[in-house]
Amino acid sequence: MNRTRKTRGHGRGRDRFLTGDAVPKADSSAFVSSHARVPASSGNPDDYPLERFSLRKPIQQNHHHPSSSKEPAPTLRLNNAVREYIRDTTSPEHDLQFLHRPEIPSSEEISVPANDEEEEVPVNHVVGPWASKQKYLSDHYSLLREDGVAPLRNVVSELKAVPDVLEKDSVEKSQIYEKASMRLIFGSHPRTDYPAQVFIVGLTFAHGGIAAKVTFSLRRTGKKIIWEQSKRLLQGTLVALTPAQDMFKSICKVAVVAARPLSGVQSNPPAIDIFFGDPNQIQIDPQQEWVMVESSGGYFEAYRHTLKSLQKIATESFPLAEYIVGVEREPRPPHYVEQQPFSDMSSIFQASSGRHTHADILNGEWPHDTTSDLDASQSEALRRILTKELAIIQGPPGTGKTYVSVVALKVLLENKRDDDPPILVVAQTNHALDQLLRHIAPIESKFIRLGGMTSDNEIIKPRTLYEVKQATKLGVVPGGLKGPALAGMRTLIKEIHALLKPLTEGKALDEDVFKAHKILTQDQCKFLLKGAEKWIDTSLPDSVTAAIHKWAGEELVEANRRTQPEDYGFDYEEIDLEYEQLKELEAEGKIGIGDDDNEELRGERLSFSEPWTGREQSGRPKDNWEAILRTTSDLWQIAPDSRGPLYRHMQQRVKEIMTGKMRQLAAQYAKRVTELKIGKWEVDTNYLKESNIIGCTATGIAKYRALLHSLQPKIVLIEEAAETLEAQITAACFDSLEHLILVGDHQQLRGRCNERELEGEPWFLDVSMFERLVRNHVGFTQLTRQRRMHPEIRRGLMPIYPNLEDHPSVVLRPAVPGMGLLNTYFFSHTWPEDTDDLMSKVNRTEANMVVSFFNYLIKNGVKTKDVTVLTFYNGQRKLILSGLRRHANLQGEAFKVVTVDSYQGEENGIVLLSLVRSNWKNQIGFLSNANRVCVALSRAQRGFYLFGDAGLLSKQSHLWFKLVNAMSQNPRRVGFFLPLTCQKHQIRTYAKHPDYFNANSGGCEQPCRGQLPCGHVCPYNCHPFAHTDVLCNEPCNQKLICGHRCTQLCYVPCKCACERAGTSQSKLQTTNMPLPSFPPKSDAYRSADRGDPRRRSSPPKAVDGSRNSTPSQSPSKEPYRFLSPHSQALMEIPPEAQAFRNFADGGYVAADAAAALSAIDAAAKERLRQLDADNGAALFGDSVDTPLVSRTNELKLTATRQTSDGTMRNIYEGLYSSVSTAQTDRKQECSLLD
C-alpha cells in the first residue's frame, strides 16, 4: 500500500575445525584480568572493574602497540571480485524499476513542474512480515531516497515560487548563493538584470572525477561565515544550479560538493569545487551566471552509498532474509557453528578441570558455575551472540553492552582460523567506532580502520588503511586496473586541455576558432582578413587584434563576469551545529577514494579566462542570426550595431559545441574514474585480508561495500544498531554473511531523518531494524545490571526499565559537594519559555539558574570537566554556553554543554538537564519523545539535577508523570526550591531564583569570621574554599620603610605618595605567618582576559606586606573572586582595554602632550648620560689610556638629592688613588655609580 506524501511540487557454508594454532594476541590476559571482581564490602569504588568496562588502562600497558610492530608485506594477488561487483551493479539486465535510478538525483527529480502529481511514498511495514524481498528493498530504497532528496527539492520549489527570497525569510532552510534582488533592498521597483555572481572559473581533473571550480556570493546570506564551524557546502552536499535568468523554470543542474578547502571559502570571493551529477550536465561557460542553492536541513551523502547497496542486494541472495523480511522469531545457529560447535572458552570461563578449552556451545551445558567477569545477563547475551546467526542484544544504559561485544569478539578471534575472512565491526559514528576499536586494541592488534577521520592519533590513526599502506608499500597488482586507468586519465586530460584552450588564453575568440568549429566558412574568413588589412587602430589591446576583432570594433566589450569581493562588516552567521556533529558530517562527506582525508581536491587544474564578448542585443531570435551567417559571405556588409550581437551568438555557438565534446570526454573520464577505484581497491584488498578485524561506520560499510564484498565476510557486528536506520543495516548483508550481531537499545535514541514527516505514521523511517525485530518478538537478550548510575539516579529510569538492577559499585559513588546527600533533584518552576531567532525554544531564566548552579558546584570543588549540561534544544544549549563563558568566576574554562541527541553513549559524573518548556499552551515538544528522555535521564554517574516545569510535564506526558511520581517518593527529590548544603556547618539553604546565588559564596548564610593570611578578618559569609583564595578589601595601613603608612587596599601593591609613581615598598614589620599560596586558577588574580586565566596584576600580600612571587600549589578548593563592585570593575577590565577606553574618550590629546614632554625629558636625560660618561672617562680613563685615578674600597652613600626633573639621585663618596703621585684623595661622584 502506498500513501501520498506532499512534497511541495513533487513530491553459506564453510567447514570449521578446531586447531591447536592460536592467533597471536596483544596481551589478551590483561583484558580479562582487569575486570576481576571486588568484594562488595570494599569502600573504594575505583577498586571495581571500571564500571563501564573501559579498556584504556590495559591499552596503555600493552607493549604490543598496533603501530610499533613491523608487519610482513602481504603477497600481491589480483582479486577480480571488486570489478565483478561493479559490473553487476551497472548491468541493465534487471527489470526492477528502482535498480535503474541514478546514483545522483536527476534534474527532473529535483526540479518538478508545479502541475505534476504528488509523488507516492510507500508505507513502511513495521508490524509483521513483508510480502517479498523485492518489495522490502524497493520500498526502503524509495523511503530513504525521499528523505535524502526532498530537502533540496523543497528549496528549489520555494525559489520557483519566490525567486527573491532571502535566507532569513526561507521556510525551507534554503541557503542561496547569489546577490539579493534590488527590489528587496532598495524598494518596490524590481530589477531582473542584477548579476547572480556565481561563476564556473575552472576545472580540476581529480581521481574522483572532473570537478568545476565555482566562485559565489554570500549576498543573500548577508553575513560573514565562520567556515571552520559551518555546515554550509560541506563535502558531499547536494546542490542545484540554474541560470540566473531562468531561476529553475526550465533548467536545473544537480551537483555534489567535491571539496570545500578553507583556503577557498575564506577567500573573497569564496570558491568551492563541485562534481556534476552526470557527465551530460557538465558546464564550461565562464561567462554564464548561475544561482546555486542547497538545503541546510538535509545531507544526501549519508544516504548515497546506502541507496547503491540496496540496489546491489536486490541482485544478490540476501542472507538472513527469513528474519529481516519474513520475521521468523527464533534464529538458528550460524552455519559454521553447526559444522563445528566446539570452541575454546577458557579465557572467559576459568575452571580447574580445563573443560572449557573444548566446549560444545550448542549441545553442551553453558558454563554457569565457573569464575567469570560476566554477570548472569551478560553471560546469556554472550551465549546468544555465539550461537544465533541473528543475535540481538539489548543493553540499557550502563549495562556493559560494549564490554559484552568485546568479550564475544575475543572468543570469535581465539577460534578463528588463519584462512577465515576478517570480522567486520560497525558503529553509527566515527566517535563510537574509535571507542569500540580502542576496546578491541588490547586483544587484537591486527585491525584496520576504514576511513581516516579519527581523533585518536595514538592507537587508531596508525591502523587506518591509509597509514597501513604508507607503512608497507606494495608494488603493482598483476593485471590490476590502477595503472591503465591513470594512463587513460592522462590522455583524456590532454585532449580536454586542447579542446578548451581558447577559453583559457585570456583573449577574445578569433576567426580561426570559429572556422575550426565550422561556424564561419573559409570564404567568410578571407573577407574578414581582407577587410581588416584596411583597419588601422593602435588603441586595441593585445587580446583583441585578430581580424574579427577589428570587424566587431566597439561592439566587442569586456565581459565583466566575475564574482566581486564583498564586505559584511562584523556581522557573523550564528553557529547552529555542535562541533562533534559537524566533524561527523565532514567524515561522512569524504568523497575521495583514498583514506588520507585531504580537504583540498588534488589534481591537474585548468583555469578559464574569457574576458571579451559582443555587446548584447535583445529581441532578435537565434534562428535569425543563423540565417545571416548562412547567407552573408562578407561579414563587413553587416551593420556595425549588429556585429556585437552576432559575435556574441557565434561565441555562444562555439561554447555549445565545446560543451558537447567536453561531455563526451567527461563520460570517458568517468569510466576511468570507476576503473581507478576498482584498481585501488584491488590493491587494498591485499592489505585487508591480512587483518583480523575491520572497523568502519554505518555509512562506510555502504561506501566501501565493493571492497569489503571482495573479502567475503561472514561475521558482522553492529554497535548502537538501534540508532542506525534499517537500510544502513541491510547494506551490511553481504551474500557471504552467515552471522549478524546487533547490539543496541531501542528505548534510547532512534536514527535521524532529514524530513520530520517521515518519522511518523505511516512511514516510520526512524524505526531501526533492531527495534522492528524486537517489537515483532524476534528472539533477543536484555542486559539487566547497570554499573553507571547511583541508585537514586537509576530510580528515575524505573518507568522505562522496571527490571534494571544495580551493581554493588554504584552504591559507593561519592556525594556531590555542596548538595548534602542529594544525588538527584528536580527543581520545578513556571518561568515562561521563549523562541530565538532560529525558532529554537529557549528559557532565559532557567538558563541563568543552570549557570548559577553550575558556578555553585565549582565553588564547592567540582571540576568543570566533571559536569555536563544537557538540553533538548540547540537554542538553549547556545544560551547556557554563552552564560558560562561570560561568568566572571569561570573565565578560561572549557565546558560540556550539548544537546541530548549528540550525547548518546556518553556519560559524566554530574549532569544538569535543562528542560526549557513552560507555557500556557501545554506544549512540551521534544520532551514527549520517550527515546530522547531515556537518554537524558541516564547519562549521570553520581549527580543528576533537572530544571523545568514539572507540573506541565506531568500533565502532558504519562512517562514524565511516572518519573515525577517516582522522584516524589521517599526520599522526596522534587520541589520549587533547590536545596543546598554547606560543607562546613551542614546547614541547608534553599535557592528559588538565580539572584540567590549572587550573595552566596558556596556555603551557608553564616558569617565566616576566619582570619585571612594578612591578619584581617574574612568579611564574607561561609565559603568552602581556603582563605588564601580571598582578596582582602580592608585598608592596608602597614608602615613602609619611608616611614609613612600604606593607604592602599590590602590586596593592592603598597606604594607611597612620596615615591615615584608605581614603585612598591616593603613593610618594616616582619611576621612568621606563612605566605598565602594561590592555585593556578585562583580568582585572586583572575582578570577578564579569558585567553590566560593565570594572568594577574600583582602577587598576593602577606601580613608583612611582602609579595609571594613564586606561589605554590594549594590543596584548597577552586577559588572565586569576592570584591566590592568598584574593585571588581577595576579587576575585570584589562589594562589594554582601559587604555583604549581612555584614548577613545579624548585621552589622545593628553597622550600627545605627554608624549611631547616625554621626548624632551628623554633628550635631557641623554645629554646627562653623555656628561656622566665624559666625567667617568676623565676619572677612570678607557681601555687604551692610563686612568688618572683608581678606585680602592667600596663606596659610601652620603646623601640623596632631588634633581630638577623630579628624579632622585644618590650621592656616593669613595677613596681614589692617583696613579702618578700615589696620594690619597677624596672625590664626589654623582650618578656615575648610581
Side-chain angles (χ1 to χ4, degrees):
M1 171 182 178
N2 292 345
R3 292 198 187 179
T4 300
R5 176 175 182 263
K6 295 183 179 180
T7 56
R8 297 186 183 273
H10 188 355
R12 253 243 223 224
R14 66 180 166 94
D15 295 332
R16 174 174 173 151
F17 300 94
L18 190 66
T19 66
D21 298 331
V23 179
K25 301 296 185 295
D27 195 15
S28 61
S29 61
F31 172 78
V32 177
S33 63
S34 67
H35 301 290
R37 291 182 178 270
V38 178
S41 60
S42 174
N44 184 5
D46 293 333
D47 292 339
Y48 284 89
L50 302 175
E51 291 87 5
R52 296 290 292 123
F53 301 101
S54 170
L55 300 182
R56 295 194 177 191
K57 188 172 181 179
I59 289 175
Q60 294 170 352
Q61 296 173 346
N62 179 18
H63 298 290
H64 302 283
H65 192 279
S67 62
S68 61
S69 58
K70 193 76 173 181
E71 297 182 11
T75 304
L76 281 175
R77 291 189 179 90
L78 176 63
N79 189 337
N80 289 314
V82 176
R83 63 180 71 179
E84 291 174 358
Y85 181 100
I86 301 294
R87 183 190 63 216
D88 291 344
T89 302
T90 57
S91 174
E93 300 173 358
H94 309 290
D95 57 355
L96 293 175
Q97 184 177 0
F98 81 97
L99 296 183
H100 303 291
R101 301 188 73 173
E103 178 179 345
I104 303 298
S106 64
S107 300
E108 294 76 18
E109 192 173 358
I110 296 296
S111 182
V112 183
N115 57 357
D116 270 23
E117 295 183 0
E118 296 173 344
E119 181 184 1
E120 290 189 352
V121 180
V123 169
N124 185 10
H125 297 282
V126 294
V127 179
W130 285 78
S132 66
K133 178 187 84 170
Q134 288 76 15
K135 177 66 173 173
Y136 170 84
L137 293 172
S138 175
D139 287 1
H140 272 284
Y141 180 95
S142 298
L143 282 167
L144 196 65
R145 192 173 183 96
E146 172 67 13
D147 194 43
V149 172
L152 183 60
R153 187 179 63 228
N154 294 340
V155 167
V156 170
S157 297
E158 182 179 46
L159 257 69
K160 282 184 179 181
V162 190
D164 294 330
V165 66
L166 296 178
E167 288 188 7
K168 65 183 182 66
D169 301 320
S170 172
V171 298
E172 295 294 347
K173 301 180 181 179
S174 303
Q175 292 180 335
I176 311 163
Y177 305 100
E178 175 214 47
K179 278 193 174 181
S181 167
M182 297 291 286
R183 172 172 60 85
L184 290 177
I185 298 177
F186 297 110
S188 58
H189 302 288
R191 278 186 57 184
T192 59
D193 60 341
Y194 206 79
Q197 291 221 18
V198 176
F199 296 98
I200 297 173
V201 298
L203 301 176
T204 301
F205 302 98
H207 286 179
I210 299 176
K213 184 177 181 179
V214 175
T215 61
F216 55 91
S217 165
L218 293 169
R219 186 63 61 89
R220 290 213 192 186
T221 305
K223 297 180 181 179
K224 289 184 177 180
I225 307 298
I226 305 176
W227 290 102
E228 298 91 335
Q229 303 176 54
S230 176
K231 181 188 172 185
R232 286 178 179 269
L233 298 173
L234 282 178
Q235 187 176 13
T237 298
L238 204 63
V239 297
L241 297 95
T242 184
Q245 302 82 4
D246 184 79
M247 291 304 293
F248 295 109
K249 294 178 182 177
S250 59
I251 300 176
C252 174
K253 305 297 181 183
V254 183
V256 175
V257 177
R260 192 199 73 170
L262 288 178
S263 60
V265 292
Q266 289 178 344
S267 59
N268 195 358
I272 60 170
D273 296 292
I274 61 174
F275 289 135
F276 283 97
D278 189 317
N280 290 325
Q281 290 193 344
I282 197 167
Q283 301 293 317
I284 60 169
D285 188 352
Q287 294 186 10
Q288 176 63 59
E289 300 176 9
W290 297 91
V291 174
M292 181 171 66
V293 299
E294 67 167 326
S295 171
S296 63
Y299 191 60
F300 180 75
E301 185 66 20
Y303 296 160
R304 174 181 179 181
H305 305 286
T306 302
L307 293 170
K308 287 184 62 180
S309 299
L310 293 178
Q311 290 175 316
K312 177 61 180 176
I313 293 173
T315 67
E316 296 176 341
S317 59
F318 196 1
L320 307 182
E322 59 269 35
Y323 313 110
I324 298 173
V325 178
V327 196
E328 289 187 14
R329 294 189 174 182
E330 191 53 45
R332 295 181 295 275
H335 183 67
Y336 69 87
V337 175
E338 289 181 327
Q339 295 289 317
Q340 174 53 271
F342 295 97
S343 296
D344 183 0
M345 306 284 291
S346 58
S347 64
I348 308 301
F349 301 104
Q350 290 82 37
S352 57
S353 62
R355 66 180 183 273
H356 300 311
T357 59
H358 198 68
D360 186 347
I361 60 176
L362 283 185
N363 306 311
E365 181 182 357
W366 186 258
H368 289 293
D369 56 347
T370 55
T371 302
S372 169
D373 296 328
L374 303 172
D375 61 42
S377 64
Q378 289 175 333
S379 177
E380 186 59 34
L382 176 63
R383 181 178 188 178
R384 177 172 289 278
I385 289 175
L386 298 178
T387 61
K388 301 297 181 182
E389 58 182 347
L390 175 61
I392 302 176
I393 307 300
Q394 182 195 4
T399 54
K401 53 182 177 291
T402 300
Y403 173 63
V404 174
S405 298
V406 175
V407 170
L409 287 171
K410 188 176 191 300
V411 175
L412 293 171
L413 288 168
E414 289 176 342
N415 292 276
K416 178 179 177 293
R417 299 188 312 180
D418 290 341
D419 59 344
D420 286 342
I423 300 172
L424 302 186
V425 295
V426 183
Q428 173 64 15
T429 64
N430 282 274
H431 176 67
L433 177 62
D434 286 347
Q435 285 185 327
L436 179 59
L437 292 177
R438 278 195 294 269
H439 295 324
I440 292 173
I443 65 171
E444 180 54 68
S445 62
K446 294 178 65 176
F447 70 89
I448 289 181
R449 187 198 197 279
L450 292 182
M453 289 295 289
T454 174
S455 58
D456 188 331
N457 295 324
E458 180 182 355
I459 298 173
I460 309 301
K461 187 72 173 179
R463 297 306 303 173
T464 60
L465 178 58
Y466 176 78
E467 294 295 337
V468 171
K469 289 193 296 184
Q470 294 299 307
T472 308
K473 296 286 187 179
L474 297 181
V476 178
V477 176
L481 292 180
K482 181 178 178 180
L486 289 173
M489 283 182 172
R490 288 191 290 267
T491 301
L492 289 169
I493 292 172
K494 291 180 180 179
E495 293 184 35
I496 294 172
H497 268 288
L499 173 67
L500 302 181
K501 184 179 179 181
L503 301 181
T504 63
E505 296 179 320
K507 300 179 179 180
L509 302 184
D510 57 26
E511 59 273 11
D512 292 336
V513 175
F514 293 129
K515 185 174 67 172
H517 290 84
K518 298 181 180 180
I519 294 174
L520 292 181
T521 65
Q522 183 71 28
D523 291 339
Q524 288 172 325
C525 291
K526 288 181 179 179
F527 279 111
L528 282 172
L529 291 171
K530 185 177 180 180
E533 292 175 356
K534 305 174 184 178
W535 186 275
I536 300 176
D537 189 348
T538 59
S539 64
L540 290 175
D542 294 339
S543 59
V544 288
T545 57
I548 198 168
H549 304 154
K550 298 175 181 179
W551 165 80
E554 294 181 355
E555 294 297 306
L556 194 65
V557 296
E558 291 189 58
N560 291 326
R561 305 298 191 185
R562 287 294 179 269
T563 312
Q564 300 301 314
E566 298 168 327
D567 185 9
Y568 299 108
F570 297 100
D571 195 7
Y572 283 89
E573 182 182 49
E574 186 174 3
I575 300 168
D576 196 42
L577 201 65
E578 294 176 49
Y579 179 80
E580 293 77 10
Q581 294 173 328
L582 179 64
K583 294 294 111 177
E584 196 61 40
L585 289 176
E586 287 179 343
E588 289 182 349
K590 295 298 179 182
I591 298 176
I593 56 180
D595 290 321
D596 52 342
D597 295 312
N598 194 298
E599 68 170 11
E600 188 169 354
L601 202 63
R602 294 181 294 183
E604 190 172 339
R605 296 184 180 272
L606 179 150
S607 297
F608 291 128
S609 179
E610 190 191 19
W612 298 93
T613 187
R615 194 182 303 277
E616 190 171 8
Q617 184 186 74
S618 58
R620 184 171 293 188
K622 177 180 178 181
D623 294 343
N624 189 273
W625 295 118
E626 289 293 329
I628 291 176
L629 286 175
R630 286 195 304 268
T631 58
T632 306
S633 297
D634 186 358
L635 298 184
W636 289 98
Q637 297 177 2
I638 298 176
D641 61 349
S642 296
R643 295 177 185 179
L646 179 57
Y647 182 91
R648 190 184 190 92
H649 170 75
M650 293 189 294
Q651 183 185 34
Q652 195 61 35
R653 287 280 294 116
V654 167
K655 287 186 281 192
E656 288 175 0
I657 295 172
M658 285 183 176
T659 300
K661 294 179 179 179
M662 176 65 197
R663 289 173 177 176
Q664 294 177 4
L665 295 173
Q668 297 179 44
Y669 194 94
K671 292 180 181 179
R672 302 292 88 78
V673 168
T674 301
E675 292 171 358
L676 178 61
K677 180 189 293 185
I678 294 172
K680 289 191 173 184
W681 282 351
E682 287 172 344
V683 176
D684 293 346
T685 188
N686 286 277
Y687 291 94
L688 295 178
K689 70 180 182 181
E690 300 297 321
S691 65
N692 290 323
I693 295 277
I694 297 175
C696 62
T697 63
T699 301
I701 202 168
K703 180 177 180 179
Y704 299 103
R705 196 173 192 275
L707 173 61
L708 297 172
H709 175 271
S710 67
L711 303 172
Q712 294 294 288
K714 299 183 182 299
I715 304 174
V716 177
L717 183 148
I718 301 179
E719 275 271 318
E720 298 295 353
E723 197 181 355
T724 306
L725 295 180
E726 175 146 358
Q728 293 178 312
I729 296 181
T730 304
C733 294
F734 301 90
D735 56 3
S736 59
L737 183 67
E738 295 184 16
H739 195 176
L740 179 62
I741 304 165
L742 305 180
V743 180
D745 183 10
H746 60 283
Q747 292 177 285
Q748 297 187 56
L749 289 184
R750 288 177 168 177
R752 300 177 184 175
C753 301
N754 297 325
E755 292 288 288
R756 186 74 55 81
E757 186 181 0
L758 293 176
E759 294 181 356
E761 187 181 0
W763 297 288
F764 299 111
L765 183 58
D766 60 333
V767 175
S768 65
M769 178 188 295
F770 184 104
E771 180 176 357
R772 180 174 65 88
L773 295 179
V774 167
R775 296 196 183 281
N776 279 276
H777 307 292
V778 175
F780 73 100
T781 297
Q782 182 186 38
L783 305 179
T784 58
R785 176 171 287 192
Q786 68 92 14
R787 295 164 170 79
R788 174 187 297 166
M789 299 161 281
H790 187 278
E792 195 173 290
I793 302 174
R794 191 264 312 148
R795 182 177 65 163
L797 290 172
M798 289 179 60
I800 304 173
Y801 304 104
N803 300 322
L804 196 59
E805 304 170 354
D806 296 323
H807 189 273
S809 62
V810 299
V811 180
L812 304 177
R813 296 283 192 197
V816 178
M819 296 304 295
L821 299 178
L822 272 70
N823 295 86
T824 63
Y825 199 82
F826 194 148
F827 172 74
S828 182
H829 64 79
T830 55
W831 299 321
E833 67 188 47
D834 200 355
T835 304
D836 67 4
D837 294 338
L838 297 176
M839 305 308 294
S840 180
K841 297 298 181 182
V842 295
N843 194 311
R844 304 184 191 281
T845 309
E846 180 179 295
N848 291 335
M849 188 71 175
V850 171
V851 170
S852 299
F853 180 60
F854 189 107
N855 181 47
Y856 172 82
L857 293 176
I858 304 305
K859 287 180 180 180
N860 279 272
V862 179
K863 305 298 182 183
T864 55
K865 65 181 180 64
D866 295 330
V867 185
T868 294
V869 181
L870 286 181
T871 181
F872 290 84
Y873 293 92
N874 198 37
Q876 186 78 347
R877 177 189 71 84
K878 292 184 288 186
L879 189 63
I880 294 174
L881 185 59
S882 176
L884 291 171
R885 288 172 174 170
R886 292 197 311 267
H887 201 285
N889 287 341
L890 302 173
Q891 299 299 298
E893 299 287 353
F895 308 103
K896 296 179 183 178
V897 185
V898 294
T899 58
V900 173
D901 284 3
S902 63
Y903 211 59
Q904 170 102 335
E906 303 293 333
E907 60 186 276
N908 207 347
I910 300 172
V911 172
L912 314 183
L913 177 61
S914 175
L915 298 171
V916 180
R917 303 309 298 266
S918 181
N919 55 81
W920 60 271
K921 295 181 180 180
N922 293 331
Q923 297 175 347
I924 63 173
F926 290 147
L927 277 65
S928 62
N929 186 302
N931 298 79
R932 285 188 168 102
V933 173
C934 178
V935 174
L937 299 179
S938 59
R939 302 301 101 193
Q941 296 172 341
R942 62 188 182 116
F944 182 48
Y945 305 97
L946 300 86
F947 299 80
D949 190 339
L952 172 64
L953 295 175
S954 299
K955 289 190 298 182
Q956 298 303 119
S957 168
H958 185 59
L959 173 60
W960 280 105
F961 173 81
K962 291 192 290 186
L963 169 65
V964 173
N965 184 60
M967 296 185 70
S968 300
Q969 305 302 318
N970 190 25
R972 182 182 178 87
R973 294 294 185 258
V974 181
F976 293 95
F977 294 85
L978 184 62
L980 311 175
T981 302
C982 167
Q983 295 190 64
K984 183 182 296 185
H985 306 103
Q986 296 301 308
I987 295 175
R988 177 168 290 182
T989 57
Y990 298 90
K992 189 177 182 180
H993 194 273
D995 293 343
Y996 169 84
F997 292 94
N998 294 338
N1000 182 275
S1001 302
C1004 62
E1005 298 175 357
Q1006 291 191 11
C1008 175
R1009 297 194 180 95
Q1011 187 180 40
L1012 300 179
C1014 60
H1016 292 120
V1017 176
C1018 179
Y1020 304 108
N1021 286 343
C1022 174
H1023 52 82
F1025 44 85
H1027 284 122
T1028 54
D1029 301 331
V1030 177
L1031 292 179
C1032 182
N1033 285 285
E1034 295 294 326
C1036 179
N1037 203 33
Q1038 295 290 331
K1039 188 173 183 179
L1040 306 178
I1041 59 175
C1042 64
H1044 299 114
R1045 293 282 179 177
C1046 177
T1047 59
Q1048 304 292 324
L1049 294 180
C1050 193
Y1051 76 91
V1052 179
C1054 294
K1055 65 179 180 180
C1056 185
C1058 70
E1059 298 178 311
R1060 183 179 179 181
T1063 303
S1064 299
Q1065 292 196 13
S1066 297
K1067 312 293 189 300
L1068 293 178
Q1069 298 97 322
T1070 59
T1071 180
N1072 293 326
M1073 289 186 65
L1075 296 180
S1077 58
F1078 288 78
K1081 297 177 183 176
S1082 174
D1083 280 284
Y1085 51 82
R1086 187 193 303 277
S1087 74
D1089 183 0
R1090 295 209 315 255
D1092 185 5
R1094 293 174 173 79
R1095 179 177 179 179
R1096 60 179 179 178
S1097 58
S1098 65
K1101 182 185 300 183
V1103 156
D1104 65 346
S1106 61
R1107 302 295 163 184
N1108 182 11
S1109 60
T1110 310
S1112 60
Q1113 295 298 321
S1114 170
S1116 61
K1117 304 294 183 182
E1118 287 286 343
Y1120 291 87
R1121 188 195 315 276
F1122 295 99
L1123 302 175
S1124 65
H1126 175 68
S1127 299
Q1128 288 188 27
L1130 290 177
M1131 293 295 292
E1132 292 179 3
I1133 301 176
E1136 298 85 354
Q1138 186 61 52
F1140 176 80
R1141 290 185 182 182
N1142 296 339
F1143 186 86
D1145 291 338
Y1148 63 90
V1149 177
D1152 290 346
L1157 291 175
S1158 177
I1160 296 172
D1161 181 68
K1165 289 181 178 179
E1166 177 61 18
R1167 287 195 301 271
L1168 181 60
R1169 187 195 66 78
Q1170 292 176 357
L1171 180 61
D1172 287 342
D1174 294 340
N1175 292 335
L1179 285 171
F1180 303 110
D1182 53 28
S1183 59
V1184 177
D1185 300 330
T1186 302
L1188 298 177
V1189 295
S1190 62
R1191 188 174 64 193
T1192 56
N1193 299 321
E1194 61 183 27
L1195 304 177
K1196 177 182 178 182
L1197 176 66
T1198 59
T1200 301
R1201 297 177 182 174
Q1202 185 172 3
T1203 63
S1204 59
D1205 63 355
T1207 61
M1208 304 300 294
R1209 178 157 300 192
N1210 296 332
I1211 307 301
Y1212 294 89
E1213 185 178 90
L1215 293 176
Y1216 297 88
S1217 297
S1218 172
V1219 176
S1220 58
T1221 64
Q1223 293 178 350
T1224 302
D1225 188 19
R1226 281 185 177 271
K1227 293 182 180 288
Q1228 282 190 341
E1229 177 188 352
C1230 296
S1231 172
L1232 183 65
L1233 305 176
D1234 205 353

